[in-house]
């Protein structure tokens, strides 16, 4: 009787119904527990993609107020709006060949929560009346070994005072007394927690961790995606040939003319970073005339098509030369350039990641 009542309580409190999980997902979105001012320092691009995806799904007032606009500052852009960051994430996903599930994104973000905020995240989860609270160590997404923390919180008066929890690891195992096994069986009493050292077998394959309480498997499972087999490098593409004009004592205009920078055909695993297109003037002279970069605010060119991107392989800006009278000078020379990203293969000699020395915290392993 007690076990049957516990299972009913578990269904209510753990969220074994998918609708219950979805209902509270936004409340404890791990992205909200990251420190805005330090997101740019996260080295894992998959985690940044997960962060941007999470923020873009929030209400407009929240995402605009809380978004870390320097999330992709390593590419030279420090004031990126959510829409541009979303396009950048789409490009990075394509180049890295990653397709993150909702579970992947959640656990990438959980593994990036700073130590000072992880307790607040646990509290948020426990306040949803979840019987089991699970977290992973910081940087679990990029480490071969990391710490898994499992707590059994008994909220319901008829919840079982003691349960059996089985942890099943795919592409890895639990290190118990220096023996790594694909599964581990433990016993929990109400209010207890335990920590485990998880070892990943192959960093370039996805990992999943299922937790079974008695006969019920908690959903969603922990999933950590494979490390990409490529790295991202940035480079510059420029328009060729350079544009140039000289208007002197004439009523003729130059343009507005669209100048485009494109990625060469021999670089297929590449794309232009959104909003990175710019005009570089090597020469800019005026006397009762104008030299306009039509992509700049406040430079009113006759046509409206001042700046456009063609897919992710070409970006264009219009330039314009004009004399306000039939006498004067408008002279310019330069080019259009943009920042592009490319995928470069990583030699994989050993599937294991270099960080394999994670140890359990020094305090007693079992805590009641």
């Amino acid at each position: 009787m007690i076990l049957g009542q516990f299972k009913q309580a578990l269904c209510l409190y753990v969220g074994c119904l998918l609708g219950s999980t979805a209902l509270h997902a936004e409340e404890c979105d791990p992205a909200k527990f990251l420190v805005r001012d330090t997101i740019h320092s996260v080295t894992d691009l998959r985690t940044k993609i997960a962060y941007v995806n999470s923020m873009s799904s929030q209400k407009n007032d929240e995402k605009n107020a809380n978004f870390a606009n320097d999330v992709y500052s390593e590419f030279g852009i420090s004031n990126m709006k959510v829409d541009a960051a979303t396009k950048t994430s789409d490009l990075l996903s394509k180049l890295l060949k990653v397709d993150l599930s909702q579970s992947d994104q959640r656990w990438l973000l959980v593994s990036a929560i700073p130590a000072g905020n992880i307790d607040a995240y646990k509290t948020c989860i426990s306040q949803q009346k979840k019987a089991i609270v699970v977290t992973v160590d910081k940087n679990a997404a990029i480490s071969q070994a990391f710490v898994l923390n499992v707590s059994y919180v008994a909220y319901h008066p008829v919840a079982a005072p003691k349960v059996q929890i089985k942890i099943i690891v795919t592409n890895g195992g639990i290190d118990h007394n220096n023996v790594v096994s694909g599964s581990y069986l433990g016993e929990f009493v109400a209010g207890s927690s335990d920590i485990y050292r998880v070892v990943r077998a192959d960093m370039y394959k996805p990992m999943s961790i299922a937790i079974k309480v008695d006969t019920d498997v908690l959903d969603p499972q922990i999933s950590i995606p494979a490390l990409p087999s490529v790295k991202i490098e940035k480079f510059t593409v420029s328009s060729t040939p350079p544009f140039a004009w000289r208007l002197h004592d004439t009523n003729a205009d130059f343009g507005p003319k669209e100048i485009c920078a494109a990625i060469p055909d021999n670089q297929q695993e590449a794309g232009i970073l959104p909003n990175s297109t710019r005009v570089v003037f090597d020469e800019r002279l005026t006397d009762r005339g104008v030299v306009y970069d039509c992509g700049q605010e406040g430079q009113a060119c006759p046509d409206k098509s001042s700046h456009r991107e063609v897919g992710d392989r070409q970006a264009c800006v219009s330039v314009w030369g004009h004399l306000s009278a039939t006498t004067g000078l408008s002279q310019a020379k330069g080019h259009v350039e943009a920042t592009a990203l490319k995928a470069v293969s990583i030699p994989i000699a050993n599937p294991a990641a270099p960080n394999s020395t994670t140890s359990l915290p020094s305090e007693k392993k079992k805590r009641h």
Side-chain angles (χ1 to χ4, degrees):
M1 178 66 178
I2 294 294
L3 181 59
Q5 290 174 316
F6 167 69
K7 288 180 179 178
Q8 183 180 8
L10 186 65
C11 186
L12 290 172
Y13 296 155
V14 177
C16 59
L17 293 176
L18 184 60
S20 173
T21 301
L23 178 65
H24 296 290
E26 186 179 350
E27 292 181 21
C28 295
D29 182 352
K32 295 181 179 180
F33 294 85
L34 302 181
V35 178
R36 174 180 173 179
D37 294 340
T38 62
I39 292 171
H40 68 276
S41 63
V42 173
T43 59
D44 180 46
L45 287 174
R46 299 166 305 160
T47 302
K48 290 189 173 186
I49 292 170
Y51 168 77
V52 172
N53 289 347
S54 174
M55 295 301 293
S56 65
S57 67
Q58 294 182 15
K59 297 176 182 178
N60 285 335
D61 54 345
E62 290 185 4
K63 68 182 178 183
N64 292 329
N66 301 325
F67 184 66
N69 57 17
D70 60 349
V71 57
Y72 289 125
S73 59
E74 65 261 54
F75 302 130
I77 298 180
S78 59
N79 191 23
M80 184 175 279
K81 295 183 178 179
V82 177
D83 290 345
T86 300
K87 291 180 181 178
T88 302
S89 291
D90 291 342
L91 173 60
L92 287 169
S93 296
K94 176 182 175 182
L95 296 178
L96 293 170
K97 294 182 171 60
V98 297
D99 184 13
L100 302 178
S101 67
Q102 289 294 322
S103 179
D104 290 340
Q105 292 183 164
R106 170 167 286 274
W107 290 101
L108 284 170
L109 292 173
V110 170
S111 74
I113 296 176
N117 287 6
I118 195 66
D119 285 342
Y121 175 73
K122 289 180 181 179
T123 299
C124 184
I125 295 294
S126 65
Q127 286 175 348
Q128 296 178 16
K129 304 300 184 184
K130 301 286 180 114
I132 303 296
V133 177
V134 182
T135 58
V136 293
D137 199 21
K138 191 175 187 300
N139 294 327
I142 57 174
S143 303
Q144 188 187 3
F146 58 89
V147 173
L148 173 74
N149 185 299
V150 181
S151 301
Y152 173 42
V153 185
Y155 284 99
H156 200 280
V158 298
K162 184 183 294 185
V163 294
Q164 201 172 59
I165 293 183
K166 186 175 184 180
I167 303 172
I168 305 167
V169 182
T170 302
N171 183 33
I174 301 292
D175 183 356
H176 182 63
N177 295 331
N178 295 321
V179 176
V180 178
S181 173
S183 64
Y184 179 77
L185 191 63
E187 197 171 68
F188 280 68
V189 298
S192 68
S193 64
D194 211 348
I195 50 179
Y196 305 90
R197 183 175 184 267
V198 179
V199 179
R200 195 167 175 179
D202 189 337
M203 295 295 293
Y204 297 94
K205 292 181 180 179
M207 176 186 224
S208 65
I209 303 174
I211 299 178
K212 180 183 289 187
V213 181
D214 287 335
T215 58
D216 294 310
V217 179
L218 300 193
D219 183 41
Q221 299 181 25
I222 298 173
S223 64
I224 300 177
L227 279 180
S229 59
V230 298
K231 62 180 179 179
I232 301 298
E233 294 182 355
K234 69 175 183 177
F235 63 104
T236 301
V237 292
S238 300
S239 59
T240 55
F243 63 79
W245 74 79
R246 176 181 170 81
L247 306 177
H248 183 245
D249 295 342
T250 178
N251 59 2
D253 284 0
F254 177 86
K257 182 176 182 180
E258 189 175 68
I259 310 296
C260 299
I263 297 175
D265 291 339
N266 62 356
Q267 294 192 25
Q268 288 301 309
E269 298 297 319
I272 290 177
L273 192 64
N275 295 358
S276 69
T277 313
R278 54 206 174 266
V279 177
V280 178
F281 287 103
D282 301 314
E283 183 179 89
R284 192 174 189 174
L285 302 174
T286 59
D287 176 17
R288 288 169 293 172
V290 297
V291 171
Y292 275 176
D293 164 5
C294 299
Q296 292 290 320
E297 290 186 15
Q299 302 200 357
C301 297
D303 66 352
K304 301 296 183 182
S305 58
S306 59
H307 179 286
R308 69 186 183 98
E309 295 167 353
V310 184
D312 57 14
R313 297 190 59 82
Q314 179 173 291
C316 307
V317 181
S318 293
V319 292
W320 182 45
H322 171 72
L323 295 182
S324 55
T326 56
T327 59
L329 176 68
S330 169
Q331 181 172 320
K333 182 166 63 174
H335 62 279
V336 168
E337 65 181 29
T339 301
L341 306 178
K342 63 180 178 181
V344 179
S345 296
I346 300 172
I348 303 175
N350 185 339
N355 182 8
S356 58
T357 59
T358 297
S359 59
L360 290 174
S362 57
E363 70 265 24
K364 187 178 179 181
K365 183 185 174 191
K366 194 83 169 182
R367 295 174 294 176
H368 300 280

